[in-house]
Structure formats: structure tokens, C-alpha cells
Amino acid sequence: DTGVSQDPRHKITKRGQNVTFRCDPISEHNRLYWYRQTLGQGPEFLTYFQNEAQLEKSRLLSDRFSAERPKGSFSTLEIQRTEQGDSAMYLCASSLGLAGGPRDTQYFGPGTRLTVL
Amino acid sequence: DQQVKQNSPSLSVQEGRISILNCDYTNSMFDYFLWYKKYPAEGPTFLISISSIKDKNEDGRFTVFLNKSAKHLSLHIVPSQPGDSAVYFCAASALGTGNQFYFGTGTSLTVIP
């Protein structure tokens, strides 16, 4: 299976703890995106990378959130000092994303469901 | 500020009939639209896209129609099958805003055998 993978699939943590999620995109894809989805809502954009460069960040991405894509391959999303409001599904997507190219279809992973107690 | 709206949270259709899912948007700068399907405990799966230079795009049983003047798009599924039962999201993006996609809140489709 060469689709987008995410790890872990589920994470339960206590308020105030730090959590880190990993996303492995489709191998030839240059762009990688992070979204958050809460119950009854569609995915909300958080940030995206073109190779290793983080090019855009949503205002939803508070200072407690940080994302990296160190070698332009996998990415991590870390949430520090988690709050109950951080409970959501965190989705990763990737796209072919030729530099300077047009927008293209994003392919999603299965998501990581975070529950903050 | 919900720039993409799906006003019908749910839809039920008999197997074999047409399913029509609707989506409205407010940002006139949106020029690229996609539909995704989502099963429980899975990520959204891409279905079909349309650029604003077209008003229709067809892929098998799925057709997306775009009415730019009304800022409205719709997804037609013909014939509907029980396996189509899922939540459907429309998404839109605007040139010059990077690759940020704005998603609607989804419509849950149930196809009744």
C-alpha cells in the first residue's frame, strides 16, 4: 500500500501533556498538508509544506503547535501542553506538488484521533 | 467564517436512483473545486474535481456541475449504490492562496437497498 499513512491512529492523553503525530506521504509527493477535523465539521487547514519548507500556516495553528518535515519526506505535528479543545481528528494529506505548479489533488491519510482528558 | 457550505447534513436515496449533493460557496475567488468521500474511521478519499474554466466534469457514475454565477456546485451520482453510503465533502481553493483548501461540513448520504 503506497498511500498516506499516519501514526498513531488513536492517542489519549491528559491535559498538559505533549503529543507528537507522524505522517508518511505518498513517496513521490512534494507537498504535505495537515488538517484538523472536529465532530460535524469538515477538515480545517493547519499548515502545508513544499518539500521541507513550511510555506503556509493557519491562524488555527497556535504557538503550542509545531510541524516539521526535516528531509522533505515524513512530517511530524507536535502539540505542547495539550488542552481539551485540542481533541479532534488530525489528518495528513499529500499531493504531487511540482514547485511553482498549480494546485493539485490532495490524498488523505486515515487520521490520528486525539482525545485530551 | 464558513466559505464553503453544505446545507443538507443528510440525504437518503433508493438504490438505482440519482443522488444529488449540493455545495455553495461565498468566495468569488475560488476557482478549483473537489469532492471527497469519507467512510467512518478513514480519511477522505478524492472523488472528482472541477476547474472554474469548466461547468461540468464527468467520471463514471459521478458528475460534478459548477454554476459560477450562482456560486454553486453539485455532485450527481447515477445510479446510486449502497456502497456510496458515506459522508461527502466539497472543497474549494483560490488561486494565489497557496494550497489551502476550504471544506464544507459534509453531507451524509445513505443509499437504501
Side-chain angles (χ1 to χ4, degrees), chain B residues 15-63:
Chain B
E15 180 179 4
R17 306 294 290 269
I18 184 172
S19 295
I20 300 176
L21 295 96
N22 294 303
C23 179
D24 297 292
Y25 59 96
T26 58
N27 189 340
S28 58
M29 299 303 291
F30 286 151
D31 66 342
Y32 187 59
F33 305 88
L34 303 93
W35 282 94
Y36 284 86
K37 177 171 72 174
K38 186 180 184 303
Y39 295 118
E42 296 182 12
T45 302
F46 169 73
L47 268 180
I48 192 167
S49 64
I50 188 166
S51 164
S52 60
I53 61 173
K54 301 174 75 173
D55 54 18
K56 175 183 175 181
N57 190 27
E58 197 170 348
D59 184 2
R61 295 185 299 113
F62 302 91
T63 303

mmCIF file of all heavy atoms in Angstrom, chain B residues 15-63:
data_model
loop_
_atom_site.group_PDB
_atom_site.id
_atom_site.type_symbol
_atom_site.label_atom_id
_atom_site.label_comp_id
_atom_site.label_asym_id
_atom_site.label_seq_id
_atom_site.Cartn_x
_atom_site.Cartn_y
_atom_site.Cartn_z
ATOM 1 N N GLU B 15 -31.566 2.807 -3.855
ATOM 2 C CA GLU B 15 -30.578 2.219 -4.763
ATOM 3 C C GLU B 15 -31.072 2.325 -6.199
ATOM 4 O O GLU B 15 -32.234 2.064 -6.499
ATOM 5 C CB GLU B 15 -30.343 0.762 -4.387
ATOM 6 C CG GLU B 15 -29.332 0.049 -5.269
ATOM 7 C CD GLU B 15 -29.101 -1.392 -4.849
ATOM 8 O OE1 GLU B 15 -29.790 -1.860 -3.901
ATOM 9 O OE2 GLU B 15 -28.221 -2.044 -5.429
ATOM 10 N N GLY B 16 -30.154 2.713 -7.096
ATOM 11 C CA GLY B 16 -30.500 2.827 -8.500
ATOM 12 C C GLY B 16 -30.965 4.220 -8.923
ATOM 13 O O GLY B 16 -30.948 4.538 -10.113
ATOM 14 N N ARG B 17 -31.360 5.022 -7.925
ATOM 15 C CA ARG B 17 -31.819 6.366 -8.258
ATOM 16 C C ARG B 17 -30.643 7.344 -8.250
ATOM 17 O O ARG B 17 -29.516 6.987 -7.934
ATOM 18 C CB ARG B 17 -32.879 6.826 -7.247
ATOM 19 C CG ARG B 17 -34.046 5.878 -7.085
ATOM 20 C CD ARG B 17 -34.884 5.787 -8.343
ATOM 21 N NE ARG B 17 -35.629 7.000 -8.613
ATOM 22 C CZ ARG B 17 -36.869 7.236 -8.176
ATOM 23 N NH1 ARG B 17 -37.506 6.353 -7.436
ATOM 24 N NH2 ARG B 17 -37.472 8.368 -8.502
ATOM 25 N N ILE B 18 -30.918 8.585 -8.598
ATOM 26 C CA ILE B 18 -29.878 9.607 -8.623
ATOM 27 C C ILE B 18 -29.710 10.241 -7.240
ATOM 28 O O ILE B 18 -30.700 10.508 -6.549
ATOM 29 C CB ILE B 18 -30.190 10.695 -9.683
ATOM 30 C CG1 ILE B 18 -29.056 11.703 -9.778
ATOM 31 C CG2 ILE B 18 -31.509 11.386 -9.365
ATOM 32 C CD1 ILE B 18 -29.219 12.681 -10.943
ATOM 33 N N SER B 19 -28.466 10.449 -6.844
ATOM 34 C CA SER B 19 -28.164 11.223 -5.630
ATOM 35 C C SER B 19 -27.612 12.568 -6.080
ATOM 36 O O SER B 19 -26.729 12.625 -6.944
ATOM 37 C CB SER B 19 -27.117 10.528 -4.774
ATOM 38 O OG SER B 19 -27.587 9.306 -4.267
ATOM 39 N N ILE B 20 -28.118 13.631 -5.506
ATOM 40 C CA ILE B 20 -27.636 14.971 -5.828
ATOM 41 C C ILE B 20 -27.200 15.644 -4.534
ATOM 42 O O ILE B 20 -28.017 15.865 -3.629
ATOM 43 C CB ILE B 20 -28.712 15.818 -6.527
ATOM 44 C CG1 ILE B 20 -29.145 15.162 -7.832
ATOM 45 C CG2 ILE B 20 -28.172 17.239 -6.802
ATOM 46 C CD1 ILE B 20 -30.271 15.867 -8.545
ATOM 47 N N LEU B 21 -25.920 15.932 -4.456
ATOM 48 C CA LEU B 21 -25.378 16.599 -3.274
ATOM 49 C C LEU B 21 -24.974 18.015 -3.669
ATOM 50 O O LEU B 21 -24.342 18.212 -4.703
ATOM 51 C CB LEU B 21 -24.179 15.833 -2.724
ATOM 52 C CG LEU B 21 -24.497 14.436 -2.190
ATOM 53 C CD1 LEU B 21 -24.224 13.378 -3.248
ATOM 54 C CD2 LEU B 21 -23.700 14.134 -0.943
ATOM 55 N N ASN B 22 -25.338 18.961 -2.856
ATOM 56 C CA ASN B 22 -25.139 20.366 -3.186
ATOM 57 C C ASN B 22 -24.108 21.049 -2.301
ATOM 58 O O ASN B 22 -23.898 20.661 -1.140
ATOM 59 C CB ASN B 22 -26.469 21.117 -3.068
ATOM 60 C CG ASN B 22 -27.474 20.660 -4.085
ATOM 61 O OD1 ASN B 22 -27.211 20.707 -5.282
ATOM 62 N ND2 ASN B 22 -28.634 20.207 -3.624
ATOM 63 N N CYS B 23 -23.522 22.089 -2.861
ATOM 64 C CA CYS B 23 -22.476 22.828 -2.164
ATOM 65 C C CYS B 23 -22.533 24.284 -2.645
ATOM 66 O O CYS B 23 -22.638 24.530 -3.853
ATOM 67 C CB CYS B 23 -21.121 22.202 -2.474
ATOM 68 S SG CYS B 23 -19.709 23.006 -1.706
ATOM 69 N N ASP B 24 -22.487 25.214 -1.735
ATOM 70 C CA ASP B 24 -22.464 26.634 -2.072
ATOM 71 C C ASP B 24 -21.212 27.278 -1.497
ATOM 72 O O ASP B 24 -20.715 26.855 -0.449
ATOM 73 C CB ASP B 24 -23.702 27.339 -1.486
ATOM 74 C CG ASP B 24 -24.987 26.816 -2.073
ATOM 75 O OD1 ASP B 24 -25.211 27.066 -3.268
ATOM 76 O OD2 ASP B 24 -25.750 26.153 -1.353
ATOM 77 N N TYR B 25 -20.707 28.278 -2.177
ATOM 78 C CA TYR B 25 -19.533 28.960 -1.672
ATOM 79 C C TYR B 25 -19.734 30.467 -1.761
ATOM 80 O O TYR B 25 -20.565 30.958 -2.529
ATOM 81 C CB TYR B 25 -18.259 28.519 -2.425
ATOM 82 C CG TYR B 25 -18.273 28.755 -3.917
ATOM 83 C CD1 TYR B 25 -17.694 29.897 -4.469
ATOM 84 C CD2 TYR B 25 -18.828 27.819 -4.768
ATOM 85 C CE1 TYR B 25 -17.683 30.106 -5.831
ATOM 86 C CE2 TYR B 25 -18.843 28.022 -6.142
ATOM 87 C CZ TYR B 25 -18.265 29.158 -6.664
ATOM 88 O OH TYR B 25 -18.253 29.373 -8.027
ATOM 89 N N THR B 26 -18.982 31.186 -0.967
ATOM 90 C CA THR B 26 -19.161 32.635 -0.907
ATOM 91 C C THR B 26 -18.003 33.402 -1.538
ATOM 92 O O THR B 26 -18.183 34.539 -1.951
ATOM 93 C CB THR B 26 -19.318 33.089 0.557
ATOM 94 O OG1 THR B 26 -18.165 32.677 1.308
ATOM 95 C CG2 THR B 26 -20.568 32.494 1.188
ATOM 96 N N ASN B 27 -16.846 32.780 -1.618
ATOM 97 C CA ASN B 27 -15.667 33.474 -2.120
ATOM 98 C C ASN B 27 -15.602 33.391 -3.641
ATOM 99 O O ASN B 27 -15.376 32.319 -4.201
ATOM 100 C CB ASN B 27 -14.415 32.848 -1.486
ATOM 101 C CG ASN B 27 -13.150 33.630 -1.771
ATOM 102 O OD1 ASN B 27 -13.091 34.420 -2.707
ATOM 103 N ND2 ASN B 27 -12.129 33.400 -0.963
ATOM 104 N N SER B 28 -15.775 34.500 -4.314
ATOM 105 C CA SER B 28 -15.795 34.504 -5.777
ATOM 106 C C SER B 28 -14.412 34.227 -6.364
ATOM 107 O O SER B 28 -14.279 34.028 -7.575
ATOM 108 C CB SER B 28 -16.319 35.839 -6.295
ATOM 109 O OG SER B 28 -15.518 36.898 -5.806
ATOM 110 N N MET B 29 -13.389 34.212 -5.512
ATOM 111 C CA MET B 29 -12.033 33.920 -5.994
ATOM 112 C C MET B 29 -11.769 32.422 -6.095
ATOM 113 O O MET B 29 -10.762 32.009 -6.658
ATOM 114 C CB MET B 29 -10.999 34.552 -5.057
ATOM 115 C CG MET B 29 -11.098 36.061 -4.954
ATOM 116 S SD MET B 29 -10.952 36.867 -6.562
ATOM 117 C CE MET B 29 -9.226 36.531 -6.916
ATOM 118 N N PHE B 30 -12.636 31.596 -5.544
ATOM 119 C CA PHE B 30 -12.449 30.154 -5.650
ATOM 120 C C PHE B 30 -12.521 29.738 -7.111
ATOM 121 O O PHE B 30 -13.425 30.133 -7.839
ATOM 122 C CB PHE B 30 -13.518 29.394 -4.868
ATOM 123 C CG PHE B 30 -13.355 29.438 -3.377
ATOM 124 C CD1 PHE B 30 -14.457 29.342 -2.547
ATOM 125 C CD2 PHE B 30 -12.109 29.541 -2.785
ATOM 126 C CE1 PHE B 30 -14.333 29.366 -1.165
ATOM 127 C CE2 PHE B 30 -11.956 29.564 -1.407
ATOM 128 C CZ PHE B 30 -13.072 29.483 -0.599
ATOM 129 N N ASP B 31 -11.555 28.942 -7.536
ATOM 130 C CA ASP B 31 -11.543 28.526 -8.932
ATOM 131 C C ASP B 31 -11.193 27.059 -9.115
ATOM 132 O O ASP B 31 -10.976 26.612 -10.246
ATOM 133 C CB ASP B 31 -10.598 29.411 -9.739
ATOM 134 C CG ASP B 31 -9.146 29.234 -9.318
ATOM 135 O OD1 ASP B 31 -8.903 28.713 -8.214
ATOM 136 O OD2 ASP B 31 -8.258 29.613 -10.087
ATOM 137 N N TYR B 32 -11.101 26.331 -8.034
ATOM 138 C CA TYR B 32 -10.795 24.895 -8.139
ATOM 139 C C TYR B 32 -11.557 24.195 -7.042
ATOM 140 O O TYR B 32 -11.471 24.580 -5.865
ATOM 141 C CB TYR B 32 -9.287 24.680 -7.997
ATOM 142 C CG TYR B 32 -8.806 23.272 -8.256
ATOM 143 C CD1 TYR B 32 -9.028 22.654 -9.478
ATOM 144 C CD2 TYR B 32 -8.098 22.557 -7.288
ATOM 145 C CE1 TYR B 32 -8.582 21.366 -9.718
ATOM 146 C CE2 TYR B 32 -7.636 21.282 -7.524
ATOM 147 C CZ TYR B 32 -7.889 20.689 -8.734
ATOM 148 O OH TYR B 32 -7.435 19.425 -8.978
ATOM 149 N N PHE B 33 -12.320 23.161 -7.446
ATOM 150 C CA PHE B 33 -13.241 22.521 -6.521
ATOM 151 C C PHE B 33 -13.064 21.010 -6.569
ATOM 152 O O PHE B 33 -12.773 20.445 -7.632
ATOM 153 C CB PHE B 33 -14.686 22.875 -6.886
ATOM 154 C CG PHE B 33 -14.942 24.355 -6.972
ATOM 155 C CD1 PHE B 33 -14.732 25.037 -8.168
ATOM 156 C CD2 PHE B 33 -15.380 25.065 -5.875
ATOM 157 C CE1 PHE B 33 -14.946 26.408 -8.256
ATOM 158 C CE2 PHE B 33 -15.610 26.434 -5.948
ATOM 159 C CZ PHE B 33 -15.389 27.102 -7.138
ATOM 160 N N LEU B 34 -13.237 20.382 -5.421
ATOM 161 C CA LEU B 34 -13.116 18.925 -5.349
ATOM 162 C C LEU B 34 -14.242 18.363 -4.492
ATOM 163 O O LEU B 34 -14.787 19.043 -3.624
ATOM 164 C CB LEU B 34 -11.791 18.505 -4.714
ATOM 165 C CG LEU B 34 -10.491 18.977 -5.334
ATOM 166 C CD1 LEU B 34 -10.045 20.270 -4.674
ATOM 167 C CD2 LEU B 34 -9.413 17.921 -5.168
ATOM 168 N N TRP B 35 -14.550 17.106 -4.742
ATOM 169 C CA TRP B 35 -15.444 16.349 -3.873
ATOM 170 C C TRP B 35 -14.657 15.178 -3.287
ATOM 171 O O TRP B 35 -13.911 14.497 -4.001
ATOM 172 C CB TRP B 35 -16.637 15.822 -4.638
ATOM 173 C CG TRP B 35 -17.691 16.852 -4.908
ATOM 174 C CD1 TRP B 35 -17.815 17.624 -6.034
ATOM 175 C CD2 TRP B 35 -18.768 17.222 -4.056
ATOM 176 N NE1 TRP B 35 -18.903 18.451 -5.922
ATOM 177 C CE2 TRP B 35 -19.514 18.230 -4.726
ATOM 178 C CE3 TRP B 35 -19.195 16.811 -2.789
ATOM 179 C CZ2 TRP B 35 -20.640 18.823 -4.177
ATOM 180 C CZ3 TRP B 35 -20.325 17.400 -2.234
ATOM 181 C CH2 TRP B 35 -21.035 18.386 -2.922
ATOM 182 N N TYR B 36 -14.864 14.961 -1.985
ATOM 183 C CA TYR B 36 -14.253 13.844 -1.299
ATOM 184 C C TYR B 36 -15.363 13.018 -0.659
ATOM 185 O O TYR B 36 -16.399 13.530 -0.258
ATOM 186 C CB TYR B 36 -13.311 14.325 -0.188
ATOM 187 C CG TYR B 36 -11.974 14.858 -0.662
ATOM 188 C CD1 TYR B 36 -11.826 16.189 -1.048
ATOM 189 C CD2 TYR B 36 -10.861 14.018 -0.729
ATOM 190 C CE1 TYR B 36 -10.591 16.674 -1.471
ATOM 191 C CE2 TYR B 36 -9.631 14.498 -1.146
ATOM 192 C CZ TYR B 36 -9.508 15.823 -1.520
ATOM 193 O OH TYR B 36 -8.296 16.298 -1.939
ATOM 194 N N LYS B 37 -15.086 11.726 -0.522
ATOM 195 C CA LYS B 37 -15.978 10.812 0.165
ATOM 196 C C LYS B 37 -15.249 10.298 1.399
ATOM 197 O O LYS B 37 -14.051 10.011 1.346
ATOM 198 C CB LYS B 37 -16.332 9.653 -0.770
ATOM 199 C CG LYS B 37 -17.197 8.587 -0.139
ATOM 200 C CD LYS B 37 -17.678 7.582 -1.195
ATOM 201 C CE LYS B 37 -16.583 6.684 -1.684
ATOM 202 N NZ LYS B 37 -17.115 5.630 -2.596
ATOM 203 N N LYS B 38 -15.981 10.175 2.495
ATOM 204 C CA LYS B 38 -15.342 9.720 3.722
ATOM 205 C C LYS B 38 -16.180 8.646 4.404
ATOM 206 O O LYS B 38 -17.356 8.853 4.718
ATOM 207 C CB LYS B 38 -15.120 10.888 4.686
ATOM 208 C CG LYS B 38 -14.320 10.509 5.924
ATOM 209 C CD LYS B 38 -14.120 11.692 6.837
ATOM 210 C CE LYS B 38 -13.230 11.343 8.022
ATOM 211 N NZ LYS B 38 -13.740 10.218 8.829
ATOM 212 N N TYR B 39 -15.536 7.495 4.630
ATOM 213 C CA TYR B 39 -16.137 6.433 5.435
ATOM 214 C C TYR B 39 -15.694 6.613 6.894
ATOM 215 O O TYR B 39 -14.640 7.209 7.151
ATOM 216 C CB TYR B 39 -15.715 5.057 4.942
ATOM 217 C CG TYR B 39 -16.202 4.705 3.562
ATOM 218 C CD1 TYR B 39 -15.312 4.457 2.517
ATOM 219 C CD2 TYR B 39 -17.567 4.582 3.290
ATOM 220 C CE1 TYR B 39 -15.759 4.109 1.255
ATOM 221 C CE2 TYR B 39 -18.018 4.237 2.023
ATOM 222 C CZ TYR B 39 -17.105 4.012 1.017
ATOM 223 O OH TYR B 39 -17.549 3.669 -0.234
ATOM 224 N N PRO B 40 -16.473 6.097 7.830
ATOM 225 C CA PRO B 40 -16.070 6.193 9.244
ATOM 226 C C PRO B 40 -14.689 5.606 9.476
ATOM 227 O O PRO B 40 -14.325 4.595 8.872
ATOM 228 C CB PRO B 40 -17.147 5.367 9.967
ATOM 229 C CG PRO B 40 -18.323 5.406 9.065
ATOM 230 C CD PRO B 40 -17.778 5.428 7.672
ATOM 231 N N ALA B 41 -13.912 6.247 10.306
ATOM 232 C CA ALA B 41 -12.576 5.802 10.720
ATOM 233 C C ALA B 41 -11.576 5.793 9.561
ATOM 234 O O ALA B 41 -10.509 5.171 9.667
ATOM 235 C CB ALA B 41 -12.624 4.429 11.378
ATOM 236 N N GLU B 42 -11.892 6.450 8.467
ATOM 237 C CA GLU B 42 -10.946 6.582 7.372
ATOM 238 C C GLU B 42 -10.793 8.054 7.009
ATOM 239 O O GLU B 42 -11.647 8.882 7.308
ATOM 240 C CB GLU B 42 -11.417 5.800 6.148
ATOM 241 C CG GLU B 42 -11.484 4.307 6.349
ATOM 242 C CD GLU B 42 -11.911 3.592 5.079
ATOM 243 O OE1 GLU B 42 -11.925 4.228 4.007
ATOM 244 O OE2 GLU B 42 -12.222 2.397 5.165
ATOM 245 N N GLY B 43 -9.692 8.368 6.320
ATOM 246 C CA GLY B 43 -9.524 9.716 5.811
ATOM 247 C C GLY B 43 -10.376 9.928 4.569
ATOM 248 O O GLY B 43 -10.837 8.975 3.945
ATOM 249 N N PRO B 44 -10.599 11.184 4.186
ATOM 250 C CA PRO B 44 -11.367 11.463 2.962
ATOM 251 C C PRO B 44 -10.679 10.893 1.728
ATOM 252 O O PRO B 44 -9.453 10.917 1.619
ATOM 253 C CB PRO B 44 -11.392 13.000 2.915
ATOM 254 C CG PRO B 44 -11.128 13.458 4.313
ATOM 255 C CD PRO B 44 -10.217 12.423 4.893
ATOM 256 N N THR B 45 -11.481 10.402 0.814
ATOM 257 C CA THR B 45 -10.984 9.840 -0.444
ATOM 258 C C THR B 45 -11.415 10.732 -1.588
ATOM 259 O O THR B 45 -12.595 11.059 -1.707
ATOM 260 C CB THR B 45 -11.549 8.421 -0.653
ATOM 261 O OG1 THR B 45 -11.182 7.598 0.448
ATOM 262 C CG2 THR B 45 -11.007 7.806 -1.931
ATOM 263 N N PHE B 46 -10.461 11.128 -2.429
ATOM 264 C CA PHE B 46 -10.772 12.005 -3.556
ATOM 265 C C PHE B 46 -11.727 11.325 -4.531
ATOM 266 O O PHE B 46 -11.581 10.153 -4.879
ATOM 267 C CB PHE B 46 -9.476 12.382 -4.277
ATOM 268 C CG PHE B 46 -9.698 13.055 -5.601
ATOM 269 C CD1 PHE B 46 -10.149 14.355 -5.644
ATOM 270 C CD2 PHE B 46 -9.454 12.382 -6.782
ATOM 271 C CE1 PHE B 46 -10.365 14.981 -6.859
ATOM 272 C CE2 PHE B 46 -9.649 12.994 -8.004
ATOM 273 C CZ PHE B 46 -10.114 14.291 -8.043
ATOM 274 N N LEU B 47 -12.730 12.081 -4.980
ATOM 275 C CA LEU B 47 -13.699 11.570 -5.953
ATOM 276 C C LEU B 47 -13.530 12.215 -7.316
ATOM 277 O O LEU B 47 -13.314 11.541 -8.313
ATOM 278 C CB LEU B 47 -15.115 11.853 -5.457
ATOM 279 C CG LEU B 47 -15.830 10.807 -4.637
ATOM 280 C CD1 LEU B 47 -17.217 11.314 -4.268
ATOM 281 C CD2 LEU B 47 -15.938 9.492 -5.399
ATOM 282 N N ILE B 48 -13.678 13.514 -7.361
ATOM 283 C CA ILE B 48 -13.726 14.209 -8.633
ATOM 284 C C ILE B 48 -13.443 15.682 -8.394
ATOM 285 O O ILE B 48 -13.694 16.207 -7.305
ATOM 286 C CB ILE B 48 -15.107 14.004 -9.313
ATOM 287 C CG1 ILE B 48 -15.097 14.465 -10.767
ATOM 288 C CG2 ILE B 48 -16.216 14.674 -8.514
ATOM 289 C CD1 ILE B 48 -16.325 13.997 -11.560
ATOM 290 N N SER B 49 -12.870 16.339 -9.413
ATOM 291 C CA SER B 49 -12.559 17.768 -9.284
ATOM 292 C C SER B 49 -13.090 18.515 -10.494
ATOM 293 O O SER B 49 -13.444 17.923 -11.517
ATOM 294 C CB SER B 49 -11.052 17.968 -9.157
ATOM 295 O OG SER B 49 -10.387 17.554 -10.344
ATOM 296 N N ILE B 50 -13.119 19.833 -10.370
ATOM 297 C CA ILE B 50 -13.511 20.678 -11.496
ATOM 298 C C ILE B 50 -12.834 22.027 -11.357
ATOM 299 O O ILE B 50 -12.744 22.591 -10.254
ATOM 300 C CB ILE B 50 -15.045 20.813 -11.596
ATOM 301 C CG1 ILE B 50 -15.438 21.531 -12.894
ATOM 302 C CG2 ILE B 50 -15.627 21.530 -10.378
ATOM 303 C CD1 ILE B 50 -16.929 21.415 -13.228
ATOM 304 N N SER B 51 -12.349 22.510 -12.481
ATOM 305 C CA SER B 51 -11.775 23.845 -12.522
ATOM 306 C C SER B 51 -12.848 24.822 -12.971
ATOM 307 O O SER B 51 -13.782 24.446 -13.675
ATOM 308 C CB SER B 51 -10.599 23.853 -13.497
ATOM 309 O OG SER B 51 -10.244 25.163 -13.848
ATOM 310 N N SER B 52 -12.663 26.081 -12.619
ATOM 311 C CA SER B 52 -13.692 27.069 -12.942
ATOM 312 C C SER B 52 -13.798 27.373 -14.434
ATOM 313 O O SER B 52 -14.716 28.066 -14.869
ATOM 314 C CB SER B 52 -13.437 28.371 -12.173
ATOM 315 O OG SER B 52 -12.183 28.907 -12.522
ATOM 316 N N ILE B 53 -12.866 26.851 -15.220
ATOM 317 C CA ILE B 53 -12.979 27.077 -16.665
ATOM 318 C C ILE B 53 -13.980 26.107 -17.290
ATOM 319 O O ILE B 53 -14.320 26.219 -18.461
ATOM 320 C CB ILE B 53 -11.612 26.950 -17.364
ATOM 321 C CG1 ILE B 53 -11.032 25.548 -17.185
ATOM 322 C CG2 ILE B 53 -10.650 28.007 -16.844
ATOM 323 C CD1 ILE B 53 -9.759 25.314 -17.993
ATOM 324 N N LYS B 54 -14.443 25.152 -16.480
ATOM 325 C CA LYS B 54 -15.414 24.188 -16.971
ATOM 326 C C LYS B 54 -16.700 24.317 -16.162
ATOM 327 O O LYS B 54 -16.702 24.833 -15.043
ATOM 328 C CB LYS B 54 -14.868 22.766 -16.841
ATOM 329 C CG LYS B 54 -13.578 22.541 -17.611
ATOM 330 C CD LYS B 54 -13.001 21.167 -17.325
ATOM 331 C CE LYS B 54 -13.771 20.079 -18.027
ATOM 332 N NZ LYS B 54 -13.108 18.748 -17.895
ATOM 333 N N ASP B 55 -17.794 23.829 -16.713
ATOM 334 C CA ASP B 55 -19.021 23.810 -15.924
ATOM 335 C C ASP B 55 -19.504 22.391 -15.643
ATOM 336 O O ASP B 55 -20.507 22.198 -14.949
ATOM 337 C CB ASP B 55 -20.127 24.641 -16.592
ATOM 338 C CG ASP B 55 -20.379 24.215 -18.018
ATOM 339 O OD1 ASP B 55 -19.980 23.087 -18.397
ATOM 340 O OD2 ASP B 55 -20.974 25.006 -18.775
ATOM 341 N N LYS B 56 -18.770 21.425 -16.153
ATOM 342 C CA LYS B 56 -19.165 20.032 -15.925
ATOM 343 C C LYS B 56 -17.935 19.154 -16.039
ATOM 344 O O LYS B 56 -17.082 19.362 -16.900
ATOM 345 C CB LYS B 56 -20.226 19.622 -16.954
ATOM 346 C CG LYS B 56 -20.653 18.168 -16.912
ATOM 347 C CD LYS B 56 -21.652 17.888 -18.031
ATOM 348 C CE LYS B 56 -22.013 16.422 -18.115
ATOM 349 N NZ LYS B 56 -22.964 16.152 -19.232
ATOM 350 N N ASN B 57 -17.874 18.151 -15.173
ATOM 351 C CA ASN B 57 -16.832 17.139 -15.286
ATOM 352 C C ASN B 57 -17.430 15.803 -14.888
ATOM 353 O O ASN B 57 -18.147 15.701 -13.898
ATOM 354 C CB ASN B 57 -15.629 17.472 -14.404
ATOM 355 C CG ASN B 57 -14.442 16.576 -14.686
ATOM 356 O OD1 ASN B 57 -14.296 16.062 -15.794
ATOM 357 N ND2 ASN B 57 -13.591 16.380 -13.697
ATOM 358 N N GLU B 58 -17.133 14.793 -15.685
ATOM 359 C CA GLU B 58 -17.784 13.501 -15.501
ATOM 360 C C GLU B 58 -16.729 12.416 -15.332
ATOM 361 O O GLU B 58 -15.702 12.407 -16.009
ATOM 362 C CB GLU B 58 -18.632 13.220 -16.745
ATOM 363 C CG GLU B 58 -19.673 12.159 -16.615
ATOM 364 C CD GLU B 58 -20.604 12.146 -17.823
ATOM 365 O OE1 GLU B 58 -20.553 13.094 -18.623
ATOM 366 O OE2 GLU B 58 -21.380 11.201 -17.954
ATOM 367 N N ASP B 59 -16.999 11.492 -14.416
ATOM 368 C CA ASP B 59 -16.118 10.350 -14.210
ATOM 369 C C ASP B 59 -16.957 9.163 -13.794
ATOM 370 O O ASP B 59 -17.327 9.019 -12.629
ATOM 371 C CB ASP B 59 -15.058 10.667 -13.155
ATOM 372 C CG ASP B 59 -14.058 9.539 -12.978
ATOM 373 O OD1 ASP B 59 -14.143 8.519 -13.698
ATOM 374 O OD2 ASP B 59 -13.171 9.656 -12.110
ATOM 375 N N GLY B 60 -17.298 8.350 -14.773
ATOM 376 C CA GLY B 60 -18.124 7.189 -14.476
ATOM 377 C C GLY B 60 -19.500 7.586 -13.987
ATOM 378 O O GLY B 60 -20.213 8.345 -14.641
ATOM 379 N N ARG B 61 -19.841 7.103 -12.798
ATOM 380 C CA ARG B 61 -21.168 7.399 -12.250
ATOM 381 C C ARG B 61 -21.237 8.780 -11.608
ATOM 382 O O ARG B 61 -22.307 9.205 -11.182
ATOM 383 C CB ARG B 61 -21.524 6.346 -11.193
ATOM 384 C CG ARG B 61 -21.682 4.930 -11.748
ATOM 385 C CD ARG B 61 -22.164 3.953 -10.677
ATOM 386 N NE ARG B 61 -21.236 3.840 -9.553
ATOM 387 C CZ ARG B 61 -21.515 4.250 -8.323
ATOM 388 N NH1 ARG B 61 -22.686 4.821 -8.043
ATOM 389 N NH2 ARG B 61 -20.616 4.109 -7.349
ATOM 390 N N PHE B 62 -20.104 9.451 -11.526
ATOM 391 C CA PHE B 62 -20.035 10.738 -10.814
ATOM 392 C C PHE B 62 -19.893 11.896 -11.806
ATOM 393 O O PHE B 62 -19.050 11.863 -12.696
ATOM 394 C CB PHE B 62 -18.842 10.744 -9.838
ATOM 395 C CG PHE B 62 -18.899 9.637 -8.821
ATOM 396 C CD1 PHE B 62 -18.297 8.411 -9.068
ATOM 397 C CD2 PHE B 62 -19.566 9.826 -7.625
ATOM 398 C CE1 PHE B 62 -18.349 7.387 -8.121
ATOM 399 C CE2 PHE B 62 -19.618 8.813 -6.672
ATOM 400 C CZ PHE B 62 -19.027 7.595 -6.932
ATOM 401 N N THR B 63 -20.721 12.912 -11.618
ATOM 402 C CA THR B 63 -20.643 14.127 -12.419
ATOM 403 C C THR B 63 -20.715 15.325 -11.488
ATOM 404 O O THR B 63 -21.582 15.370 -10.602
ATOM 405 C CB THR B 63 -21.794 14.206 -13.428
ATOM 406 O OG1 THR B 63 -21.776 13.044 -14.268
ATOM 407 C CG2 THR B 63 -21.663 15.451 -14.311
#
